[in-house]
Amino acid sequence: MTDILIVEDNEANMRLARLLLVNAGHTVLWAADAETGLTLAREKQPALFLMDIQLPGMDGLAATALLKQDPHTAHIPVIALTAMAMKEDREKTRLAGCDAYVIKPLRYKELYQVIDTLLQQSTPPLT
């Protein structure tokens, strides 16, 4: 089983993402805000992040940038979850350090494909 951390403030979106991940055999960690997500990321070292972009307080782009700057979490792939589907939005997520981009509402086949691809490409940190 792979640990995946979801950072999502919308309860319905969180429930759907958790259900999809559990059904795919993953263990799910979750946070409703970026600050809690950052703390969990450092403590639990998940294999992958699903990061909502529009979060209360610190947004998902700022949180991703912090994750990618931290040597303890920089290696972990981040999938941006967003309802924003414009080309410039995709570019913003890439510049923040996101490794992939999935548009909400979530489509399970797309989500599973992106997760599988990133987990196969991911390399563990050097210790």
Side-chain angles (χ1 to χ4, degrees):
M1 283 195 196
T2 302
D3 289 346
I4 296 179
L5 172 58
I6 306 168
V7 182
E8 170 65 69
D9 65 318
N10 179 287
E11 184 62 33
N13 290 339
M14 175 68 79
R15 280 195 309 263
L16 175 59
R18 283 179 23 206
L19 176 68
L20 292 173
L21 294 175
V22 167
N23 284 344
H26 300 291
T27 302
V28 177
L29 308 166
W30 68 91
D33 60 71
E35 292 82 2
T36 304
L38 291 170
T39 300
L40 272 173
R42 290 182 190 109
E43 290 175 1
K44 302 294 184 179
Q45 292 290 302
L48 187 120
F49 298 107
L50 295 179
M51 180 71 73
D52 183 23
I53 299 305
Q54 295 179 316
L55 293 167
M58 180 188 309
D59 71 22
L61 295 178
T64 298
L66 289 173
L67 289 167
K68 293 300 184 172
Q69 292 168 10
D70 184 334
H72 296 98
T73 56
H75 65 283
I76 304 171
V78 177
I79 299 172
L81 299 178
T82 182
M84 302 180 297
M86 303 301 290
K87 184 178 180 181
E88 57 269 13
D89 296 321
R90 188 178 300 261
E91 181 64 12
K92 286 179 189 176
T93 64
R94 188 189 65 74
L95 291 173
C98 294
D99 300 281
Y101 180 94
V102 174
I103 298 169
K104 294 189 266 182
L106 295 176
R107 291 173 301 280
Y108 76 96
K109 288 181 182 179
E110 177 188 11
L111 181 64
Y112 291 162
Q113 179 183 15
V114 172
I115 288 171
D116 290 346
T117 298
L118 289 176
L119 289 176
Q120 289 172 8
Q121 294 172 353
S122 179
T123 56
L126 300 174
T127 52

